[in-house]
Amino acid sequence: KALEAAPNRGRKRGPQPFNDARISPMKTYSAKASEIEKKWIVIDAEGVVVGRLASFVANRLRGKHKPTYTPHMDCGDHVIIVNAGKVQFTGKKYDDKRYYRHTSHPGGIKETSPKRILEGRFPERVVELAVKRMIPRGPLGRQQMTHLHIYGGAEHPHEAQQPVKVDFAAQNRKNVRSA
């Protein structure tokens, strides 16, 4: 009689396998190229901190803000950045940060600072470098970087795409550097 009272004696306890025929388990969603919908957004970078802007833009370019994100597909949006020459750095990075490149010749390492780039001919390269280094390397990353459009001034030639303005500076008080 003691064995009849304890029917689980000798069996392992733990989670039971899923075997309910009425409910099907969830499937992982994988977007197809025909299902991907790309939007255009424009961001004003005047007075915005570079790293925070680059992180936000990299996530938009990859499509990680969408519930239909698929890692192996280009499901991100097109991003237009205006006033890229007026971005800010926190701390002493404006003067002390260094960008290195190599000429492929012996002893050919070159360095520059954000100050020299922002005061130079192509100030938008600071934002481009920051975003590029937050995108995965490879063919998909290069394709996603083609959807980034950066302009040093306030004008851009993409009005026909009807971009939506995103007020990045107002999303968090840390996004803007106070003098």
Side-chain angles (χ1 to χ4, degrees), residues 101-122:
R101 62 187 176 88
H102 203 283
T103 62
S104 299
H105 292 284
I109 194 157
K110 305 282 185 177
E111 73 172 29
T112 188
S113 69
K115 181 178 183 179
R116 288 185 60 188
I117 296 174
L118 287 172
E119 293 171 358
R121 189 170 166 200
F122 301 105

Side-chain angles (χ1 to χ4, degrees), residues 8-172:
N8 287 337
R9 187 176 301 253
R11 288 166 131 183
K12 291 185 179 177
R13 294 186 184 201
Q16 298 298 315
F18 185 82
N19 58 3
D20 191 354
R22 295 172 292 155
I23 304 171
S24 64
M26 284 187 71
K27 301 283 186 195
T28 301
Y29 177 79
S30 185
K32 298 179 185 72
S34 60
E35 298 171 350
I36 295 173
E37 186 177 316
K38 292 188 168 291
K39 295 179 181 168
W40 286 74
I41 64 168
V42 62
I43 300 172
D44 187 3
E46 186 171 357
V48 172
V49 177
V50 174
R52 289 177 156 270
L53 174 67
S55 177
F56 178 81
V57 170
N59 279 332
R60 285 291 180 138
L61 287 174
R62 294 198 64 202
K64 292 189 88 171
H65 64 289
K66 297 180 180 181
T68 59
Y69 169 70
T70 306
H72 65 278
M73 296 294 291
D74 182 13
C75 51
D77 295 336
H78 289 265
V79 180
I80 304 164
I81 300 175
V82 294
N83 291 322
K86 299 177 183 174
V87 293
Q88 298 288 320
F89 283 87
T90 57
K92 297 184 194 174
K93 285 184 271 216
Y94 184 71
D95 295 315
D96 295 348
K97 184 175 176 65
R98 295 286 174 248
Y99 296 115
Y100 296 99
R101 62 187 176 88
H102 203 283
T103 62
S104 299
H105 292 284
I109 194 157
K110 305 282 185 177
E111 73 172 29
T112 188
S113 69
K115 181 178 183 179
R116 288 185 60 188
I117 296 174
L118 287 172
E119 293 171 358
R121 189 170 166 200
F122 301 105
E124 58 273 3
R125 286 189 182 161
V126 169
V127 178
E128 184 180 356
L129 277 173
V131 174
K132 184 178 181 180
R133 291 171 178 167
M134 293 185 186
I135 298 285
R137 285 89 179 136
L140 182 60
R142 287 190 292 273
Q143 182 182 356
Q144 289 167 344
M145 280 299 291
T146 63
H147 302 312
L148 177 63
H149 312 277
I150 306 175
Y151 301 98
E155 300 297 320
H156 65 86
H158 305 286
E159 289 298 327
Q161 281 72 30
Q162 299 170 347
V164 177
K165 186 169 178 13
V166 174
D167 192 4
F168 177 71
Q171 288 182 358
N172 190 328

